[in-house]
Coordinates of all heavy atoms in Angstrom, one line a residue:
M169 N 88.6 155.9 127.6 CA 89.4 154.9 127.1 C 89.1 154.7 125.6 O 88.0 155.0 125.1 CB 89.2 153.6 127.8 CG 89.6 153.5 129.2 SD 91.4 153.9 129.5 CE 92.1 152.3 129.1
I170 N 90.1 154.3 124.9 CA 90.0 154.0 123.4 C 90.0 152.5 123.2 O 91.0 151.9 123.7 CB 91.2 154.7 122.7 CG1 91.2 156.2 123.0 CG2 91.1 154.5 121.2 CD1 92.5 156.9 122.7
K171 N 89.1 152.0 122.5 CA 89.1 150.6 122.2 C 89.8 150.4 120.8 O 89.5 151.1 119.8 CB 87.6 150.1 122.1 CG 87.6 148.6 121.8 CD 86.1 148.1 121.7 CE 86.0 146.7 121.2 NZ 84.6 146.3 120.9
I172 N 90.7 149.4 120.8 CA 91.4 149.1 119.6 C 91.1 147.6 119.4 O 91.2 146.8 120.3 CB 92.9 149.3 119.7 CG1 93.2 150.7 120.2 CG2 93.6 149.0 118.4 CD1 92.9 151.8 119.2
V173 N 90.9 147.2 118.1 CA 90.7 145.8 117.8 C 91.8 145.4 116.8 O 91.8 145.9 115.7 CB 89.3 145.5 117.2 CG1 89.1 144.0 116.8 CG2 88.2 145.9 118.2
F174 N 92.6 144.5 117.3 CA 93.7 143.9 116.5 C 93.1 142.6 115.9 O 92.5 141.8 116.7 CB 94.9 143.6 117.3 CG 95.6 144.9 117.7 CD1 95.4 145.4 119.0 CD2 96.6 145.5 116.9 CE1 96.0 146.5 119.4 CE2 97.2 146.6 117.4 CZ 96.9 147.2 118.6
V175 N 93.3 142.3 114.7 CA 92.8 141.1 114.0 C 94.0 140.3 113.5 O 94.8 140.9 112.7 CB 91.8 141.4 112.9 CG1 91.2 140.1 112.3 CG2 90.7 142.3 113.4
D176 N 94.2 139.1 114.0 CA 95.3 138.3 113.6 C 95.0 137.7 112.2 O 93.9 137.7 111.8 CB 95.8 137.4 114.7 CG 95.0 136.2 114.9 OD1 94.2 135.8 114.0 OD2 95.1 135.6 116.0
P177 N 96.0 137.1 111.6 CA 95.8 136.5 110.3 C 94.8 135.4 110.2 O 94.3 135.0 109.2 CB 97.2 136.0 109.9 CG 98.1 136.8 110.6 CD 97.5 137.1 111.9
T178 N 94.5 134.8 111.4 CA 93.4 133.7 111.4 C 92.0 134.3 111.6 O 91.1 133.6 111.5 CB 93.7 132.8 112.6 OG1 93.4 133.4 113.8 CG2 95.1 132.2 112.6
G179 N 92.0 135.6 111.8 CA 90.7 136.3 111.9 C 90.3 136.5 113.4 O 89.3 137.1 113.7
K180 N 91.1 135.9 114.3 CA 90.9 136.1 115.7 C 91.1 137.6 116.1 O 92.0 138.2 115.7 CB 91.8 135.2 116.6 CG 91.5 135.3 118.1 CD 92.5 134.4 118.8 CE 92.2 134.5 120.3 NZ 93.1 133.7 121.1
Q181 N 90.1 138.1 116.9 CA 90.2 139.5 117.3 C 90.7 139.6 118.7 O 90.4 138.8 119.6 CB 88.8 140.1 117.3 CG 88.2 140.2 115.8 CD 86.9 141.0 115.8 OE1 86.4 141.5 116.8 NE2 86.4 141.1 114.6
H182 N 91.6 140.6 118.9 CA 92.1 140.9 120.2 C 91.7 142.4 120.5 O 92.3 143.3 120.0 CB 93.7 140.8 120.2 CG 94.2 139.5 119.7 ND1 94.6 138.5 120.6 CD2 94.3 139.0 118.5 CE1 95.0 137.5 119.9 NE2 94.8 137.8 118.6
A183 N 90.7 142.5 121.3 CA 90.2 143.9 121.7 C 90.9 144.4 122.9 O 91.0 143.6 123.9 CB 88.7 143.8 122.0
V184 N 91.5 145.5 122.8 CA 92.3 146.1 124.0 C 91.8 147.5 124.2 O 91.3 148.2 123.3 CB 93.8 146.0 123.7 CG1 94.2 144.6 123.5 CG2 94.2 146.9 122.5
E185 N 92.1 148.0 125.4 CA 91.8 149.4 125.7 C 93.1 150.2 125.8 O 94.1 149.7 126.2 CB 91.0 149.5 127.1 CG 89.6 148.9 126.9 CD 88.8 149.2 128.2 OE1 89.4 149.5 129.2 OE2 87.5 149.2 128.0
A186 N 93.0 151.4 125.4 CA 94.2 152.2 125.3 C 93.9 153.7 125.8 O 92.7 154.0 126.0 CB 94.7 152.3 123.8
S187 N 94.9 154.4 125.9 CA 94.7 155.8 126.3 C 95.3 156.7 125.2 O 96.2 156.4 124.5 CB 95.5 156.1 127.6 OG 95.0 155.3 128.7
A188 N 94.7 157.9 125.1 CA 95.2 158.9 124.2 C 96.7 159.2 124.5 O 97.1 159.3 125.7 CB 94.4 160.2 124.2
G189 N 97.5 159.3 123.5 CA 98.9 159.6 123.6 C 99.8 158.4 123.5 O 101.0 158.5 123.2
Q190 N 99.2 157.2 123.7 CA 100.0 156.0 123.5 C 100.1 155.7 122.0 O 99.3 156.2 121.2 CB 99.2 154.8 124.2 CG 99.2 154.7 125.7 CD 98.6 153.4 126.1 OE1 97.4 153.2 126.0 NE2 99.4 152.5 126.7
S191 N 101.2 155.0 121.7 CA 101.3 154.6 120.3 C 100.5 153.3 120.1 O 100.3 152.5 121.0 CB 102.7 154.4 119.9 OG 103.3 153.2 120.4
L192 N 100.1 153.1 118.9 CA 99.4 151.8 118.6 C 100.3 150.6 118.9 O 99.8 149.6 119.4 CB 99.0 151.8 117.1 CG 98.2 150.7 116.5 CD1 96.9 150.5 117.3 CD2 97.9 150.9 115.0
M193 N 101.6 150.7 118.6 CA 102.5 149.7 118.9 C 102.6 149.4 120.4 O 102.5 148.2 120.8 CB 103.9 150.0 118.4 CG 105.0 149.0 118.8 SD 105.7 149.3 120.4 CE 106.8 150.7 120.2
Q194 N 102.6 150.4 121.2 CA 102.8 150.2 122.7 C 101.6 149.5 123.2 O 101.7 148.6 124.1 CB 103.0 151.5 123.4 CG 103.5 151.4 124.8 CD 104.8 150.6 124.9 OE1 105.8 151.1 124.3 NE2 104.8 149.5 125.6
V195 N 100.4 149.8 122.7 CA 99.2 149.2 123.2 C 99.2 147.7 122.8 O 98.9 146.8 123.7 CB 98.0 149.9 122.5 CG1 96.7 149.1 122.8 CG2 97.8 151.3 123.0
A196 N 99.7 147.4 121.6 CA 99.8 146.0 121.2 C 100.8 145.2 122.0 O 100.5 144.1 122.5 CB 100.1 145.9 119.7
V197 N 101.9 145.8 122.3 CA 103.0 145.1 123.1 C 102.5 144.9 124.5 O 102.6 143.8 125.1 CB 104.3 146.0 123.0 CG1 105.3 145.4 124.1 CG2 104.9 145.9 121.6
D198 N 101.9 145.9 125.1 CA 101.4 145.8 126.5 C 100.3 144.7 126.6 O 100.3 144.1 127.7 CB 100.8 147.2 127.0 CG 101.9 148.2 127.2 OD1 103.1 147.9 127.2 OD2 101.5 149.4 127.4
A199 N 99.5 144.6 125.6 CA 98.5 143.6 125.6 C 98.9 142.2 125.1 O 98.1 141.3 125.0 CB 97.3 144.1 124.8
L200 N 100.2 142.1 124.7 CA 100.8 140.8 124.2 C 100.0 140.4 123.0 O 99.8 139.2 122.8 CB 100.7 139.8 125.3 CG 101.5 140.1 126.6 CD1 101.3 139.0 127.6 CD2 102.9 140.4 126.4
V201 N 99.7 141.3 122.1 CA 99.1 141.0 120.8 C 100.1 140.3 120.0 O 101.2 140.8 119.7 CB 98.5 142.2 120.1 CG1 98.0 141.9 118.7 CG2 97.4 142.9 121.0
P202 N 99.8 139.0 119.5 CA 100.8 138.3 118.7 C 101.1 139.0 117.4 O 100.2 139.5 116.7 CB 100.2 137.0 118.4 CG 99.0 136.9 119.3 CD 98.6 138.3 119.7
G203 N 102.4 139.1 117.0 CA 102.7 139.6 115.7 C 103.3 141.0 115.7 O 103.7 141.5 114.7
I204 N 103.2 141.7 116.9 CA 103.8 143.0 117.0 C 105.0 142.9 117.9 O 104.9 142.9 119.1 CB 102.8 144.1 117.5 CG1 101.6 144.2 116.6 CG2 103.5 145.4 117.7 CD1 101.9 144.8 115.2
E205 N 106.2 142.7 117.3 CA 107.4 142.5 118.0 C 108.0 143.8 118.5 O 108.4 143.9 119.6 CB 108.4 141.7 117.2 CG 109.7 141.3 117.9 CD 110.6 140.5 117.0 OE1 110.1 139.8 116.2 OE2 111.8 140.7 117.1
A206 N 108.1 144.8 117.6 CA 108.6 146.1 118.0 C 110.0 146.0 118.6 O 110.3 146.6 119.6 CB 107.6 146.8 119.0
S207 N 110.9 145.4 117.9 CA 112.2 145.1 118.4 C 113.1 146.4 118.6 O 114.0 146.4 119.3 CB 113.0 144.1 117.6 OG 113.1 144.5 116.2
C208 N 112.8 147.5 117.9 CA 113.6 148.7 118.0 C 113.0 149.6 119.1 O 113.5 150.7 119.3 CB 113.7 149.4 116.7 SG 112.3 150.4 116.2
G209 N 111.9 149.2 119.7 CA 111.3 150.0 120.8 C 110.6 151.2 120.3 O 110.3 152.1 121.1
G210 N 110.2 151.3 119.0 CA 109.4 152.4 118.6 C 110.2 153.5 117.9 O 109.8 154.6 117.7
N211 N 111.4 153.2 117.5 CA 112.3 154.2 116.8 C 112.3 154.2 115.3 O 113.1 154.8 114.7 CB 113.8 154.0 117.3 CG 113.9 154.3 118.8 OD1 113.6 155.5 119.2 ND2 114.4 153.4 119.6
C212 N 111.3 153.4 114.8 CA 111.1 153.4 113.3 C 112.3 152.9 112.5 O 112.6 153.4 111.4 CB 110.7 154.9 112.8 SG 109.8 154.9 111.3
I213 N 113.0 151.9 113.1 CA 114.1 151.4 112.3 C 114.1 149.9 112.2 O 115.1 149.3 111.8 CB 115.5 151.8 113.0 CG1 115.5 151.4 114.5 CG2 115.7 153.3 112.8 CD1 116.8 151.6 115.2
C214 N 113.0 149.2 112.6 CA 113.0 147.7 112.5 C 111.8 147.2 111.6 O 111.9 146.1 111.0 CB 112.9 147.1 113.9 SG 111.3 147.3 114.7
A215 N 110.7 147.9 111.6 CA 109.5 147.5 110.9 C 108.9 146.2 111.4 O 108.0 145.6 110.7 CB 109.8 147.4 109.4
T216 N 109.2 145.8 112.6 CA 108.6 144.6 113.2 C 107.3 144.9 113.9 O 106.7 144.1 114.6 CB 109.5 143.8 114.1 OG1 109.9 144.7 115.2 CG2 110.8 143.3 113.4
C217 N 106.8 146.1 113.6 CA 105.5 146.5 114.2 C 104.5 146.8 113.0 O 103.5 147.5 113.2 CB 105.7 147.8 115.1 SG 106.2 149.2 114.1
H218 N 104.9 146.3 111.9 CA 104.0 146.5 110.7 C 102.6 146.0 110.9 O 102.4 144.9 111.4 CB 104.7 145.8 109.5 CG 104.0 145.9 108.2 ND1 104.0 144.9 107.2 CD2 103.1 146.8 107.7 CE1 103.3 145.3 106.2 NE2 102.7 146.4 106.5
C219 N 101.7 146.8 110.4 CA 100.3 146.3 110.5 C 99.5 146.9 109.3 O 100.0 147.8 108.6 CB 99.6 146.8 111.8 SG 99.5 148.5 112.0
H220 N 98.3 146.4 109.1 CA 97.4 146.9 108.0 C 96.2 147.6 108.7 O 95.5 146.9 109.4 CB 97.0 145.8 107.1 CG 98.1 145.1 106.4 ND1 98.1 143.8 106.2 CD2 99.2 145.6 105.9 CE1 99.2 143.4 105.6 NE2 99.9 144.5 105.4
V221 N 96.1 148.9 108.6 CA 95.0 149.5 109.2 C 93.7 149.2 108.4 O 93.8 149.2 107.1 CB 95.2 151.1 109.3 CG1 94.0 151.8 109.8 CG2 96.4 151.4 110.1
D222 N 92.6 149.0 109.0 CA 91.4 148.7 108.3 C 91.1 149.8 107.3 O 91.2 151.0 107.7 CB 90.3 148.5 109.3 CG 89.1 147.9 108.6 OD1 89.0 146.6 108.6 OD2 88.2 148.6 108.1
P223 N 90.7 149.6 106.1 CA 90.5 150.6 105.1 C 89.6 151.7 105.6 O 89.7 152.9 105.3 CB 90.0 149.9 103.9 CG 90.6 148.5 104.0 CD 90.6 148.2 105.5
Q224 N 88.5 151.3 106.4 CA 87.6 152.4 106.8 C 88.2 153.3 107.8 O 87.6 154.4 108.1 CB 86.3 151.7 107.4 CG 86.6 151.0 108.7 CD 85.3 150.4 109.3 OE1 84.2 150.7 108.8 NE2 85.4 149.5 110.2
W225 N 89.3 153.0 108.4 CA 90.0 153.8 109.4 C 91.2 154.5 108.8 O 91.7 155.5 109.4 CB 90.4 153.0 110.6 CG 89.3 152.6 111.5 CD1 88.5 151.5 111.4 CD2 88.7 153.4 112.5 NE1 87.5 151.5 112.4 CE2 87.6 152.7 113.0 CE3 89.0 154.7 113.0 CZ2 86.8 153.2 114.1 CZ3 88.2 155.2 114.0 CH2 87.2 154.5 114.6
Y226 N 91.8 154.0 107.8 CA 93.1 154.5 107.4 C 93.2 156.0 107.1 O 94.1 156.7 107.6 CB 93.6 153.8 106.1 CG 95.0 154.1 105.6 CD1 96.1 153.5 106.2 CD2 95.2 155.1 104.7 CE1 97.4 153.9 105.9 CE2 96.5 155.5 104.3 CZ 97.5 154.9 104.9 OH 98.8 155.2 104.5
G227 N 92.1 156.5 106.5 CA 92.1 158.0 106.2 C 92.0 158.9 107.4 O 92.2 160.1 107.3
R228 N 91.7 158.3 108.5 CA 91.6 159.1 109.8 C 92.9 159.3 110.5 O 93.0 160.1 111.4 CB 90.6 158.5 110.7 CG 89.2 158.3 110.1 CD 88.2 157.8 111.1 NE 87.1 157.1 110.5 CZ 86.0 156.7 111.1 NH1 85.9 156.9 112.4 NH2 85.1 156.0 110.5
L229 N 93.9 158.6 110.0 CA 95.2 158.7 110.6 C 96.0 159.8 109.9 O 95.9 160.0 108.7 CB 96.0 157.4 110.5 CG 95.3 156.1 111.0 CD1 96.3 154.9 110.9 CD2 94.9 156.3 112.5
A230 N 96.9 160.4 110.6 CA 97.9 161.3 110.0 C 98.7 160.5 109.1 O 99.1 159.3 109.4 CB 98.8 162.0 111.0
P231 N 99.1 161.0 107.9 CA 99.8 160.2 106.9 C 101.2 159.9 107.4 O 101.8 160.6 108.3 CB 99.9 161.0 105.7 CG 99.6 162.4 106.2 CD 98.8 162.3 107.4
P232 N 101.8 158.7 107.0 CA 103.2 158.4 107.4 C 104.2 159.4 106.9 O 104.0 159.9 105.8 CB 103.4 157.0 106.7 CG 102.4 156.9 105.6 CD 101.3 157.8 106.0
D233 N 105.2 159.7 107.7 CA 106.3 160.6 107.2 C 107.3 159.8 106.3 O 107.1 158.6 106.0 CB 107.0 161.3 108.4 CG 107.7 160.3 109.3 OD1 108.0 159.1 108.8 OD2 108.1 160.7 110.4
V234 N 108.2 160.5 105.8 CA 109.2 159.9 104.8 C 109.9 158.7 105.4 O 110.1 157.7 104.7 CB 110.1 161.0 104.3 CG1 111.2 160.4 103.4 CG2 109.4 162.1 103.5
L235 N 110.4 158.9 106.6 CA 111.1 157.8 107.2 C 110.2 156.5 107.3 O 110.7 155.4 107.0 CB 111.6 158.2 108.6 CG 112.4 157.1 109.4 CD1 113.6 156.5 108.6 CD2 112.8 157.6 110.8
E236 N 109.0 156.7 107.8 CA 108.1 155.5 107.9 C 107.8 155.0 106.5 O 107.8 153.7 106.3 CB 106.8 155.9 108.6 CG 105.9 154.7 108.8 CD 104.5 155.1 109.4 OE1 104.4 156.3 109.8 OE2 103.7 154.2 109.5
Q237 N 107.6 155.8 105.5 CA 107.4 155.3 104.2 C 108.6 154.5 103.7 O 108.4 153.4 103.1 CB 107.2 156.5 103.2 CG 105.8 157.2 103.5 CD 105.7 158.4 102.6 OE1 106.2 158.5 101.5 NE2 105.0 159.4 103.1
D238 N 109.8 154.9 104.0 CA 111.0 154.2 103.6 C 111.1 152.9 104.2 O 111.4 151.8 103.6 CB 112.3 155.0 103.9 CG 112.4 156.2 102.9 OD1 111.7 156.3 101.9 OD2 113.3 157.1 103.2
M239 N 110.8 152.8 105.5 CA 110.8 151.6 106.3 C 109.7 150.6 105.8 O 109.9 149.4 105.6 CB 110.6 151.8 107.8 CG 111.8 152.4 108.4 SD 113.4 151.4 108.2 CE 112.9 149.9 109.0
L240 N 108.5 151.1 105.5 CA 107.5 150.3 105.0 C 107.8 149.7 103.6 O 107.5 148.5 103.4 CB 106.2 151.1 104.8 CG 105.4 151.4 106.1 CD1 104.3 152.4 105.9 CD2 104.8 150.1 106.7
A241 N 108.6 150.4 102.9 CA 109.0 149.8 101.6 C 109.9 148.6 101.7 O 110.1 147.8 100.7 CB 109.7 150.9 100.8
C242 N 110.5 148.4 102.9 CA 111.4 147.3 103.1 C 110.6 146.1 103.7 O 111.3 145.1 104.0 CB 112.5 147.7 104.1 SG 113.5 149.1 103.5
T243 N 109.4 146.2 104.0 CA 108.6 145.2 104.7 C 108.0 144.2 103.6 O 107.7 144.6 102.5 CB 107.6 145.7 105.6 OG1 106.6 146.4 104.8 CG2 108.2 146.6 106.6
N244 N 107.6 143.0 104.1 CA 106.8 142.1 103.3 C 105.3 142.5 103.4 O 104.9 143.2 104.4 CB 107.0 140.7 103.8 CG 108.4 140.2 103.6 OD1 109.0 140.5 102.7 ND2 108.9 139.5 104.6
E245 N 104.6 142.2 102.5 CA 103.1 142.4 102.5 C 102.7 143.8 102.6 O 101.7 144.2 103.3 CB 102.5 141.6 103.7 CG 102.5 140.1 103.6 CD 101.7 139.5 104.7 OE1 100.5 139.3 104.5 OE2 102.3 139.1 105.7
V246 N 103.4 144.7 102.0 CA 103.0 146.1 102.0 C 101.7 146.3 101.3 O 101.6 145.8 100.2 CB 104.1 147.0 101.4 CG1 103.7 148.5 101.4 CG2 105.4 146.9 102.2
Q247 N 100.8 147.0 101.9 CA 99.5 147.3 101.3 C 99.3 148.8 101.4 O 100.0 149.5 102.1 CB 98.4 146.6 102.0 CG 98.5 145.1 101.9 CD 97.3 144.4 102.7 OE1 96.4 145.0 103.2 NE2 97.4 143.1 102.7
P248 N 98.3 149.3 100.6 CA 98.0 150.8 100.7 C 97.7 151.3 102.1 O 97.9 152.5 102.4 CB 96.9 150.9 99.7 CG 97.0 149.8 98.8 CD 97.5 148.7 99.6
T249 N 97.2 150.4 102.9 CA 96.9 150.8 104.3 C 97.9 150.3 105.3 O 97.7 150.3 106.5 CB 95.5 150.2 104.7 OG1 95.6 148.8 104.7 CG2 94.4 150.7 103.8
S250 N 99.1 150.0 104.9 CA 100.2 149.6 105.8 C 100.7 150.8 106.6 O 100.8 151.9 106.1 CB 101.4 149.1 105.0 OG 101.2 147.8 104.5
R251 N 101.0 150.5 107.9 CA 101.6 151.5 108.8 C 102.5 150.7 109.7 O 102.4 149.5 110.0 CB 100.5 152.2 109.6 CG 99.6 153.1 108.9 CD 100.3 154.2 108.2 NE 101.1 155.1 109.0 CZ 100.7 156.2 109.6 NH1 99.4 156.6 109.4 NH2 101.5 156.9 110.4
L252 N 103.5 151.5 110.2 CA 104.3 151.0 111.3 C 103.5 151.5 112.6 O 103.4 152.7 112.8 CB 105.7 151.6 111.3 CG 106.5 151.1 110.1 CD1 107.9 151.7 110.1 CD2 106.6 149.6 110.0
S253 N 103.1 150.5 113.4 CA 102.2 150.9 114.5 C 102.9 151.8 115.5 O 102.2 152.5 116.2 CB 101.7 149.6 115.2 OG 102.7 148.8 115.6
C254 N 104.2 151.8 115.6 CA 104.9 152.7 116.5 C 104.8 154.1 116.1 O 105.1 155.0 116.9 CB 106.4 152.3 116.7 SG 107.4 152.6 115.2
Q255 N 104.4 154.4 114.9 CA 104.3 155.7 114.4 C 102.9 156.3 114.3 O 102.6 157.3 113.7 CB 104.9 155.8 113.0 CG 106.4 155.4 112.9 CD 107.3 156.2 113.9 OE1 107.3 157.5 113.7 NE2 107.9 155.6 114.8
V256 N 102.0 155.5 115.0 CA 100.6 155.9 115.0 C 100.2 156.3 116.5 O 99.9 155.4 117.3 CB 99.7 154.8 114.5 CG1 98.2 155.2 114.6 CG2 100.1 154.4 113.1
P257 N 100.2 157.6 116.8 CA 99.7 158.0 118.1 C 98.2 157.9 118.2 O 97.5 158.2 117.2 CB 100.2 159.5 118.2 CG 100.3 159.9 116.8 CD 100.6 158.7 115.9
L258 N 97.7 157.5 119.3 CA 96.3 157.3 119.5 C 95.6 158.5 120.0 O 96.2 159.2 120.9 CB 96.0 156.1 120.4 CG 96.5 154.8 119.8 CD1 96.3 153.7 120.9 CD2 95.7 154.4 118.5
T259 N 94.4 158.8 119.5 CA 93.6 159.9 120.0 C 92.2 159.4 120.3 O 91.8 158.3 119.8 CB 93.5 161.0 119.0 OG1 92.8 160.6 117.8 CG2 94.9 161.5 118.5
E260 N 91.4 160.1 121.0 CA 90.0 159.7 121.2 C 89.3 159.5 119.9 O 88.3 158.7 119.9 CB 89.3 160.7 122.1 CG 89.9 160.9 123.5 CD 89.7 159.7 124.4 OE1 88.8 158.9 124.1 OE2 90.4 159.7 125.4
A261 N 89.6 160.2 118.9 CA 89.0 160.0 117.6 C 89.2 158.7 117.0 O 88.5 158.3 116.0 CB 89.4 161.1 116.6
L262 N 90.1 157.9 117.5 CA 90.4 156.6 117.0 C 89.7 155.5 117.8 O 90.1 154.3 117.6 CB 91.9 156.4 116.9 CG 92.6 157.3 115.9 CD1 94.1 157.1 116.0 CD2 92.1 157.2 114.5
D263 N 88.8 155.8 118.6 CA 88.1 154.8 119.4 C 87.3 153.9 118.4 O 86.5 154.4 117.6 CB 87.1 155.5 120.3 CG 86.3 154.5 121.2 OD1 86.9 153.5 121.6 OD2 85.2 154.8 121.5
G264 N 87.6 152.6 118.5 CA 87.0 151.6 117.6 C 87.9 151.2 116.5 O 87.5 150.4 115.7
L265 N 89.1 151.7 116.5 CA 90.1 151.4 115.4 C 90.3 149.9 115.2 O 90.4 149.2 116.2 CB 91.4 152.1 115.7 CG 92.6 151.9 114.8 CD1 92.3 152.5 113.4 CD2 93.9 152.4 115.4
I266 N 90.3 149.5 114.0 CA 90.5 148.1 113.6 C 91.8 148.0 112.9 O 92.1 148.7 111.9 CB 89.4 147.6 112.8 CG1 88.0 147.7 113.5 CG2 89.6 146.1 112.4 CD1 86.8 147.4 112.7
V267 N 92.7 147.1 113.3 CA 94.0 146.9 112.8 C 94.3 145.4 112.5 O 94.0 144.6 113.3 CB 95.1 147.4 113.8 CG1 96.5 147.3 113.2 CG2 94.8 148.9 114.1
H268 N 94.8 145.1 111.3 CA 95.0 143.8 110.9 C 96.5 143.5 111.0 O 97.3 144.3 110.5 CB 94.5 143.5 109.5 CG 93.1 143.7 109.4 ND1 92.1 142.7 109.5 CD2 92.3 144.8 109.1 CE1 90.9 143.2 109.4 NE2 91.0 144.5 109.1
I269 N 96.9 142.4 111.6 CA 98.3 142.0 111.7 C 98.7 141.3 110.5 O 98.1 140.3 110.1 CB 98.6 141.1 113.0 CG1 98.0 141.8 114.2 CG2 100.1 140.9 113.1 CD1 98.5 143.2 114.6
A270 N 99.8 141.7 109.9 CA 100.3 141.0 108.7 C 100.7 139.6 108.9 O 101.3 139.3 110.0 CB 101.5 141.8 108.1
A271 N 100.3 138.7 108.1 CA 100.7 137.3 108.3 C 102.2 137.1 108.4 O 102.7 136.2 109.1 CB 100.1 136.4 107.1
S272 N 103.0 137.9 107.7 CA 104.4 137.8 107.7 C 105.0 138.1 109.1 O 106.2 137.9 109.3 CB 105.1 138.6 106.6 OG 104.7 140.0 106.8
Q273 N 104.2 138.7 109.9 CA 104.7 139.1 111.3 C 104.6 137.9 112.2 O 105.1 138.0 113.4 CB 103.8 140.2 111.8 CG 103.9 141.5 111.1 CD 105.2 142.2 111.3 OE1 106.0 142.4 110.4 NE2 105.4 142.7 112.5
H274 N 104.1 136.8 111.8 CA 104.0 135.6 112.6 C 105.0 134.6 112.3 O 105.6 134.5 111.3 CB 102.6 135.0 112.5 CG 101.5 135.8 113.2 ND1 101.1 135.6 114.5 CD2 100.8 136.9 112.7 CE1 100.2 136.6 114.8 NE2 100.0 137.3 113.7
Ligands
FES508 FE1 110.6 149.3 115.3 FE2 108.1 150.3 114.9 S1 108.9 149.3 116.6 S2 109.8 150.3 113.5

């Protein structure tokens, strides 16, 4: 299992377990993590799954593609470590990943 820690804007941590192959968004939705709405179901057209990957982890992810970059440009609170969680597939190498939920998602 892969442990993911979502941190909400208040600093509260939501630790969840995931499996390789799941998207970061699906894990958050399944665990009812507040702030990950994912209204398009993972099709990269809503940006309601926006999150900030912890800087120590960001470089371990495959970079966002052009479509994701375009969608991120339309979101509030874009940071250098912003990602659309539906576009982040999980692997065993991401065990311990820390993800911050953008305050604007609440
Ligand atoms: Fe819609 Fe990620 S769920 S862009």
Side-chain angles (χ1 to χ4, degrees):
M169 296 299 282
I170 302 165
K171 180 182 173 187
I172 308 293
V173 178
F174 294 92
V175 184
D176 73 22
T178 70
K180 182 178 178 183
Q181 296 187 359
H182 305 263
V184 301
E185 291 190 338
S187 299
Q190 290 184 290
S191 75
L192 183 57
M193 174 277 283
Q194 193 60 58
V195 171
V197 169
D198 288 350
L200 303 177
V201 174
I204 299 294
E205 184 178 325
S207 59
C208 79
N211 290 305
C212 201
I213 56 173
C214 73
T216 61
C217 65
H218 178 208
C219 63
H220 302 138
V221 176
D222 194 89
Q224 69 179 347
W225 285 95
Y226 185 81
R228 302 188 206 186
L229 306 181
D233 64 17
V234 173
L235 177 59
E236 183 182 352
Q237 291 175 31
D238 288 348
M239 288 303 298
L240 282 169
C242 301
T243 64
N244 296 322
E245 292 187 85
V246 177
Q247 297 181 2
T249 61
S250 284
R251 292 299 305 264
L252 296 181
S253 58
C254 69
Q255 302 302 302
V256 178
L258 296 175
T259 66
E260 298 289 345
L262 296 176
D263 183 33
L265 178 65
I266 300 169
V267 179
H268 300 268
I269 308 300
S272 59
Q273 295 288 113
H274 287 266

